[in-house]
Amino acid sequence: MKIIPRLSLVLLWLFFLACAPGAGLQEKVTPEQIQARLELAESYLGEQEPRLALQQILLIKPAARDNPRLYFDLGLTYMALGEEQKAEQVYLKAIQLDQNYAPAWNNLGQVYMVRGSYSQAEQAFKKALSILTYLTPEFAAYNLAHLYLRQKRIDLALQYASLSIEKNWRYVPGYLLAAKLYLQKGQLNKAIDLLKQGVEANPDNTQIILKLAEYLLKTDPDAADASTSPNPYEQARYYFKQILAINPACQEAQVARDYLDFLQ
């Protein structure tokens, strides 16, 4: 992945800071410098370079001890490094500084889920969902669905997978999980109908199109009502071909070719 433009701008900004007169002195770090370092750290995280991100965050930590964003970014960094216990500590610090920091609650729930602390994870995810200013509540709903699936509480898992779609009607992971849960409950038709809605919402997403085509192949073609709907195998062929038209080089396209060869 190429370095994104914002990373280049932040690097340039930090270069000028380093070259400024007196830059080597122990001067007070300005809010602008803190923001620049955090943006650089976030860019490194996006490039999957958590150690470089950690270096940037630690440089400004003494001057930004009351900044919840710093602790949130530090939590992301520790999670990327597999340091769940440290991630928990800094997410708790971010929440202490801002009780309505919904992404921190959500990520704290993920830490608890990884550690098998399901009750604490449930509380954290629900807290994130309860915060009305949360811009991506579908993440917390989806995580709750996965949590309940781990506990084999299928109905609750389906409820929250469906909620993730209600929160964001284009949220592909929610469609995929809800369809999987319908299939587990033996409700294949509902799974197919839901995936069709997902394809309508994301007509260029080859992942959800492939899953719809695969689910159509699970149906009994003899049981279909030819007067009201096409043969499910013909529908599957149509969607496999759609994948090839959208992106013939993607991983789903190779799977689609294999299915099309089989269906000849």
Side-chain angles (χ1 to χ4, degrees):
M1 183 183 297
K2 295 182 180 179
I3 296 178
I4 58 177
R6 190 181 72 172
L7 176 54
S8 300
L9 291 173
V10 173
L11 286 170
L12 184 62
W13 164 245
L14 291 174
F15 172 78
F16 282 122
L17 288 177
C19 295
L25 302 177
Q26 295 297 320
E27 298 178 348
K28 182 179 180 180
V29 179
T30 67
E32 291 78 14
Q33 290 172 314
I34 292 173
Q35 180 176 340
R37 293 284 182 185
L38 289 177
E39 288 182 359
L40 179 56
E42 290 163 3
S43 297
Y44 280 135
L45 287 172
E47 296 294 320
Q48 299 182 7
E49 295 284 358
R51 296 185 187 279
L52 294 177
L54 182 60
Q55 290 176 3
Q56 296 300 320
I57 295 171
L58 293 182
L59 281 172
I60 58 170
K61 186 179 178 183
R65 292 189 176 277
D66 295 329
N67 189 325
R69 177 181 171 188
L70 179 140
Y71 294 100
F72 178 76
D73 287 350
L74 192 53
L76 291 175
T77 304
Y78 283 138
M79 288 177 74
L81 292 170
E83 297 283 351
E84 286 83 12
Q85 185 172 359
K86 291 182 178 180
E88 176 190 357
Q89 293 171 356
V90 292
Y91 283 138
L92 286 171
K93 180 62 176 179
I95 291 165
Q96 178 184 346
L97 293 169
D98 182 358
Q99 283 291 312
N100 290 321
Y101 203 154
W105 281 108
N106 177 64
N107 286 18
L108 179 62
Q110 289 181 293
V111 172
Y112 286 143
M113 187 159 63
V114 168
R115 293 171 53 184
S117 302
Y118 291 162
S119 177
Q120 289 177 293
E122 180 181 27
Q123 292 175 20
F125 291 141
K126 287 187 174 181
K127 175 62 178 180
L129 268 177
S130 73
I131 298 171
L132 297 181
T133 54
Y134 191 13
L135 297 180
T136 54
E138 64 271 19
F139 293 169
Y142 179 82
N143 287 332
L144 269 170
H146 257 295
L147 174 64
Y148 291 132
L149 179 58
R150 284 191 180 191
Q151 298 173 304
K152 302 187 185 304
R153 301 162 72 181
I154 303 301
D155 289 337
L156 271 175
L158 180 56
Q159 175 184 332
Y160 281 94
S162 300
L163 180 61
S164 74
I165 300 169
E166 291 178 22
K167 297 295 184 180
N168 180 355
W169 66 284
R170 299 193 65 190
Y171 189 53
V172 171
Y175 283 105
L176 296 175
L177 181 56
K180 174 183 175 181
L181 293 167
Y182 275 127
L183 188 63
Q184 287 188 16
K185 291 168 64 70
Q187 299 175 320
L188 177 58
N189 288 338
K190 285 189 176 182
I192 290 173
D193 288 343
L194 183 67
L195 288 172
K196 286 182 177 179
Q197 294 176 30
V199 169
E200 289 178 4
N202 302 273
D204 295 326
N205 188 287
T206 55
Q207 184 182 16
I208 195 169
I209 296 173
L210 177 62
K211 188 60 64 177
L212 171 58
E214 289 178 332
Y215 275 37
L216 284 165
L217 292 182
K218 296 178 183 293
T219 64
D220 180 1
D222 296 329
D225 185 351
S227 65
T228 58
S229 62
N231 181 290
Y233 281 20
E234 290 302 319
Q235 293 184 64
R237 285 192 188 92
Y238 167 79
Y239 287 115
F240 287 136
K241 291 177 181 178
Q242 281 291 101
I243 293 172
L244 299 180
I246 293 169
N247 186 356
C250 68
Q251 182 178 354
E252 290 82 10
Q254 183 55 56
V255 178
R257 289 188 188 96
D258 292 341
Y259 274 117
L260 287 169
D261 289 341
F262 175 77
L263 292 171
Q264 293 297 336

